Amino acid sequence: MGKLFVDEKGPQENFKISSPFNTKEKLAYGTDIMHGYVANAWYIDKDMDKFTEEFIELEKSYLQTLQNPDIELKGSRILKGRFKYGVTSLRRKDVEFYTKLFELLIKYKSMNLLFSVNKMSIIFDSRLLEWIYLLEEKRMISNAYLTKYSLTKYLNIEASEEVIKSILDLNCTSKDLLNKIQRDMQSLVDANKKNKRMQGQLVEYKKLISTIKKTKHFIVNPPEKIAFDWNKVAYAMDLWLTDNELNNRVNPKDIDLYLDNGIKSSYFEKFSFNSIHENVNSKNNAGVRVTDFLVAIAGNYIKNLHTASQYDREEPAKPKRLSANFFDVTKDQFYLLKLMNEFFFCSGNFSIVVDTFFDDELIFEAFLNYFDQFKSFEEFQMTSNKTHVKEQLKLTIYYFRERWNQGIVHDGDVKNLFSSTREAVASGLLRPL
């Protein structure tokens, strides 16, 4: 009987503007400052008892290095305060722990699903997704997916304090909100006419301004509450299960599902699992602790790479690159990054599932994939960190262009089969926008 364990990082029920307003941290994110919701599902097909024995010994070895070895070991305890540049900021014992963990995960041929959605995208869905659907159905936009992506990117990175206040204010009508977005976006375009770094974005923003002018009269009633669409998590799980079932790697009817505290079983009941266990205490469940370690390191990388990739608003024309500190790795750290890439991105075609706004997750994927291009640490060392920074940025840009182009191709497929994106989503054949 297979075992599937799910944990999450950065859950948030209520959304407020940052106070005082912060142009980088537009929302109040809580103590973990997670810009996105990240969920991780870890699966092991057999030998769970043997795996657990080795895993517990690994935990005990690490706990013996602490002043208080009787605590429950969590990913947040290991990474807190020492992950600014990813694994290069970790202590030797932290690197050793995570290295042995990933070796164990690979040794037992376990698999993984990583899902993430940006919190500004969650807010967008509640306020303006219906407007996007209406525009596409009236043939006033050509691509619902890319229109939502561009607007979410603007909100997440560029939007003013007035716009963020308005999108969170459920008393603000959709027309008033769109008027404010239009004015703010026009100011952004005017201020950056000579900014070569933003030329591609400005082209998209000009299109959006034109669209808003023509369509802001389509009224969309504000929701009762801004809420996360759990159908997105369920759809990610559906993709992963379907892919692995078709390849004879899993059978949902032979899987016991274990959910960490706070994750409701109702979202997963449609998959016909053998059993579903809700509110599982990680202290008493090794599998939930494993997925906690995984969602912690993946979630923190996604968060920190996001922060490190944001451009300096004092110098908007200056291209932003990651710090060379992210690449100043030891041999052991390099090996850990290779293991992470192998594990996170080799569990089938849908080992990582991203939302319509895909920036933060794609930066993480491109970052790990970059290290995997080198066969050995010695080969990696032959290139300077300064050059690594430039080459990794090129890879990230390539990934972004490929994902954008996929959005164009997939939209064509949707239009060939359905009358609209809304219909495709309702059919279950397209993931929620």
Side-chain angles (χ1 to χ4, degrees):
M1 191 69 68
K3 308 290 184 183
L4 184 62
F5 306 89
V6 180
D7 197 5
E8 60 186 0
K9 184 173 176 61
Q12 194 163 337
E13 294 294 330
N14 300 302
F15 298 93
K16 297 179 181 179
I17 193 168
S18 57
S19 180
F21 182 69
N22 186 324
T23 55
K24 286 190 175 182
E25 313 290 350
K26 292 181 168 56
L27 303 174
Y29 290 114
T31 56
D32 58 2
I33 317 179
M34 287 289 294
H35 302 87
Y37 168 85
V38 183
N40 193 83
W42 173 64
Y43 174 79
I44 184 166
D45 181 39
K46 54 185 178 180
D47 296 328
M48 182 62 191
D49 289 342
K50 291 182 180 179
F51 173 90
T52 301
E53 287 179 15
E54 294 190 55
F55 171 69
I56 289 176
E57 283 303 313
L58 174 59
E59 285 185 307
K60 285 181 178 177
S61 295
Y62 185 90
L63 285 167
Q64 291 304 316
T65 69
L66 305 180
Q67 290 183 343
N68 182 8
D70 296 324
I71 62 170
E72 179 189 354
L73 190 59
K74 306 277 284 186
S76 58
R77 292 185 185 275
I78 297 176
L79 305 179
K80 187 175 182 179
R82 55 179 74 93
F83 205 71
K84 183 177 181 179
Y85 300 112
V87 301
T88 66
S89 300
L90 293 179
R91 299 166 298 188
R92 179 178 294 180
K93 67 177 183 180
D94 306 326
V95 173
E96 183 179 350
F97 173 83
Y98 262 106
T99 297
K100 290 182 177 178
L101 174 60
F102 279 104
E103 286 177 337
L104 261 184
L105 297 171
I106 293 169
K107 172 185 173 181
Y108 282 89
K109 300 180 180 179
S110 65
M111 299 189 297
N112 202 71
L113 163 65
L114 183 65
F115 170 77
S116 179
V117 57
N118 179 274
K119 290 179 181 177
M120 194 65 77
S121 182
I122 295 171
I123 296 168
F124 181 97
D125 288 348
S126 295
R127 293 300 318 259
L128 292 173
L129 185 57
E130 175 64 21
W131 176 70
I132 292 288
Y133 282 147
L134 282 173
L135 298 196
E136 190 202 42
E137 288 167 349
K138 294 177 181 294
R139 302 296 187 261
M140 303 193 79
I141 55 173
S142 59
N143 191 311
Y145 177 87
L146 295 181
T147 301
K148 186 206 164 176
Y149 170 86
S150 296
L151 269 169
T152 307
K153 189 179 186 79
Y154 151 78
L155 290 168
N156 196 52
I157 300 174
E158 312 289 357
S160 66
E161 181 177 2
E162 182 183 17
V163 169
I164 299 302
K165 281 182 178 178
S166 298
I167 201 169
L168 292 172
D169 180 6
L170 300 186
N171 292 315
C172 180
T173 67
S174 60
K175 185 176 181 179
D176 287 343
L177 172 59
L178 289 168
N179 271 324
K180 291 176 181 179
I181 290 174
Q182 177 189 323
R183 290 195 297 268
D184 187 47
M185 200 175 283
Q186 186 63 60
S187 296
L188 176 69
V189 170
D190 293 342
N192 287 277
K193 288 180 179 179
K194 297 180 180 181
N195 186 344
K196 293 182 179 180
R197 183 191 65 80
M198 290 183 65
Q199 288 309 300
Q201 289 170 254
L202 296 182
V203 169
E204 294 303 318
Y205 290 162
K206 288 176 183 178
K207 292 179 183 177
L208 288 172
I209 292 168
S210 177
T211 297
I212 292 171
K213 285 180 180 178
K214 298 173 184 176
T215 64
K216 58 191 174 187
H217 59 282
F218 292 118
I219 304 301
V220 177
N221 293 324
E224 294 181 2
K225 180 182 179 182
I226 294 174
F228 178 56
D229 183 4
W230 272 91
N231 289 321
K232 292 190 173 187
V233 178
Y235 199 88
M237 179 70 76
D238 200 353
L239 285 174
W240 184 84
L241 285 170
T242 301
D243 176 55
N244 285 297
E245 189 172 11
L246 289 172
N247 287 284
N248 299 313
R249 290 189 286 257
V250 304
N251 182 349
K253 294 180 180 179
D254 294 329
I255 293 176
D256 295 322
L257 177 65
Y258 298 85
L259 304 172
D260 190 37
N261 288 319
I263 304 175
K264 295 181 180 179
S265 61
S266 57
Y267 306 122
F268 304 95
E269 289 172 353
K270 70 175 185 176
F271 297 117
S272 301
F273 290 120
N274 178 66
S275 65
I276 300 179
H277 305 267
E278 198 177 49
N279 292 319
V280 178
N281 189 334
S282 59
K283 189 174 183 179
N284 305 318
N285 190 291
V288 173
R289 294 202 301 280
V290 167
T291 200
D292 168 80
F293 290 127
L294 295 174
V295 78
I297 198 166
N300 275 287
Y301 248 126
I302 290 170
K303 176 181 74 173
N304 290 2
L305 288 170
H306 161 90
T307 302
S309 299
Q310 284 195 297
Y311 75 90
D312 185 352
R313 299 182 77 89
E314 299 298 320
E315 299 181 90
K318 183 179 179 180
K320 179 65 176 180
R321 297 185 175 94
L322 292 177
S323 166
N325 291 322
F326 279 100
F327 302 89
D328 190 21
V329 296
T330 64
K331 187 173 184 177
D332 290 341
Q333 292 165 349
F334 175 82
Y335 177 56
L336 172 55
L337 288 167
K338 296 267 285 184
L339 288 174
M340 288 176 61
N341 184 76
E342 178 182 352
F343 181 74
F344 279 125
F345 302 118
C346 296
S347 293
N349 296 319
F350 300 103
S351 54
I352 180 170
V353 179
V354 301
D355 192 45
T356 303
F357 181 66
F358 50 74
D359 285 23
D360 296 344
E361 298 76 24
L362 213 63
I363 292 170
F364 173 57
E365 184 174 0
F367 178 78
L368 286 187
N369 286 179
Y370 178 76
F371 287 89
D372 204 52
Q373 293 181 343
F374 299 91
K375 294 181 180 179
S376 67
F377 178 65
E378 288 70 28
E379 181 184 348
F380 179 83
Q381 277 191 310
M382 292 174 67
T383 302
S384 69
N385 287 344
K386 185 177 181 180
T387 302
H388 283 311
V389 170
K390 294 179 181 178
E391 293 302 311
Q392 197 278 331
L393 178 60
K394 289 180 183 177
L395 182 64
T396 302
I397 292 171
Y398 170 78
Y399 276 37
F400 270 64
R401 287 175 177 166
E402 285 294 296
R403 186 58 61 92
W404 182 270
N405 291 334
Q406 284 177 19
I408 296 172
V409 172
H410 292 164
D411 183 69
D413 294 337
V414 168
K415 285 182 168 57
N416 287 333
L417 295 169
F418 301 95
S419 63
S420 67
T421 297
R422 190 205 300 269
E423 182 186 351
V425 172
S427 74
L429 293 179
L430 183 70
R431 66 169 179 72
L433 195 65

